[in-house]
Amino acid sequence: MSVDAADRTREQQCPDEALRVNVWASPAFWWRVAIVLVVLWGLVAGERRLAYFTTQSNVIVFAYFAGALYWMARRGTAAAPAPVLRGGVTTWILTTMVVSHVLLNHFENPIPGLFVADPTDELANRAIFAMHYVVPLMVLVDWVAFGPHRVVRWRDAAWWLVYPAAYGLVFLWRALALPEVPDRFPYPFLDTDALGPFGSLLEMLRVVAYIAVLGLVVMALDRLAWWVGERLRRARRRAEASA
């Protein structure tokens, strides 16, 4: 077996061992600290309602990355735990950004809202911006820039649809069974009064289909990041061998 093949086998079987480092000097550790701090600020800087996917996905990001920091510190590794879950967390928080920007705000530029005259509105807008844009992009950078890569299988992406589909079904049932509940329709595509139960179900399935495509994009970025990293490692080894 070649040296490259042996390294790849070791990374795939024991990614945390392959990436064992001084965690306190690891860029991955401090980037994840920044994710935890930004998402925490976004959650506490305004009133958040758990009915919204935005709030739920940001809470999940906070819980996952806080747990990842503990894992990294205990094991002395730059590798994040639970790669399949990590891919799901990445897909879900990107769903928050895409649904907000495309389906709800119709590509409206959010930047002007960050500089309004009223300090209260400005704080609220900046917190929402952090939850809708900053946190998703930071999590995406983490997914692409830091390993382990090529550990999650393509078919694992199917599991990433379970939570969004369950969210939609629970809130469809909630809207029909509890007509007086607050935040009855957290999103327009769940509005059974306007669309009817069948129409809302179809709209929800359409959103889940979009999330499936997004999950495949997340998986493709993982493979691309591995491919680029592999080429860089080979180039470095060749340079060392010829030195």
Side-chain angles (χ1 to χ4, degrees), residues 138-159:
M138 291 182 74
V139 172
L140 179 61
V141 169
D142 181 87
W143 175 256
V144 172
F146 304 118
H149 293 300
R150 216 180 68 166
V151 176
V152 180
R153 299 162 297 181
W154 285 94
R155 64 176 177 268
D156 290 331
W159 290 106

Side-chain angles (χ1 to χ4, degrees), residues 178-231:
L178 305 170
E180 304 301 324
V181 71
D183 301 317
R184 185 183 176 202
F185 306 123
Y187 298 101
F189 48 81
L190 296 175
D191 189 343
T192 54
D193 287 350
L195 302 173
F198 186 69
S200 293
L201 179 61
L202 287 179
E203 286 298 301
M204 185 204 76
L205 292 176
R206 181 169 68 95
V207 173
V208 171
Y210 292 156
I211 298 172
V213 174
L214 186 59
L216 294 178
V217 171
V218 167
M219 186 67 75
L221 289 172
D222 170 75
R223 296 302 192 264
L224 178 62
W226 175 85
W227 183 85
V228 171
E230 187 70 8
R231 294 302 179 274

Side-chain angles (χ1 to χ4, degrees), residues 7-39:
D7 286 346
R8 285 199 300 273
T9 300
R10 182 168 178 261
E11 288 175 5
Q12 291 171 15
Q13 292 177 348
C14 293
D16 59 325
E17 294 293 333
L19 296 176
R20 187 167 293 278
V21 294
N22 175 8
V23 68
W24 305 109
S26 166
F29 182 85
W30 294 107
W31 183 256
R32 289 162 185 163
V33 169
I35 290 175
V36 169
L37 293 176
V38 172
V39 72

Side-chain angles (χ1 to χ4, degrees), residues 103-185:
L103 298 182
L104 301 181
N105 296 324
H106 308 290
F107 298 97
E108 181 181 353
N109 182 4
I111 300 301
L114 305 179
F115 306 98
V116 295
D118 186 281
T120 302
D121 291 341
E122 184 179 66
L123 176 62
N125 291 346
R126 291 185 176 187
I128 289 295
F129 181 82
M131 296 173 69
H132 281 162
Y133 295 96
V134 178
V135 172
L137 291 175
M138 291 182 74
V139 172
L140 179 61
V141 169
D142 181 87
W143 175 256
V144 172
F146 304 118
H149 293 300
R150 216 180 68 166
V151 176
V152 180
R153 299 162 297 181
W154 285 94
R155 64 176 177 268
D156 290 331
W159 290 106
W160 303 345
L161 301 178
V162 173
Y163 163 54
Y167 174 90
L169 290 173
V170 166
F171 275 85
L172 279 177
W173 170 85
R174 179 176 177 266
L176 294 170
L178 305 170
E180 304 301 324
V181 71
D183 301 317
R184 185 183 176 202
F185 306 123

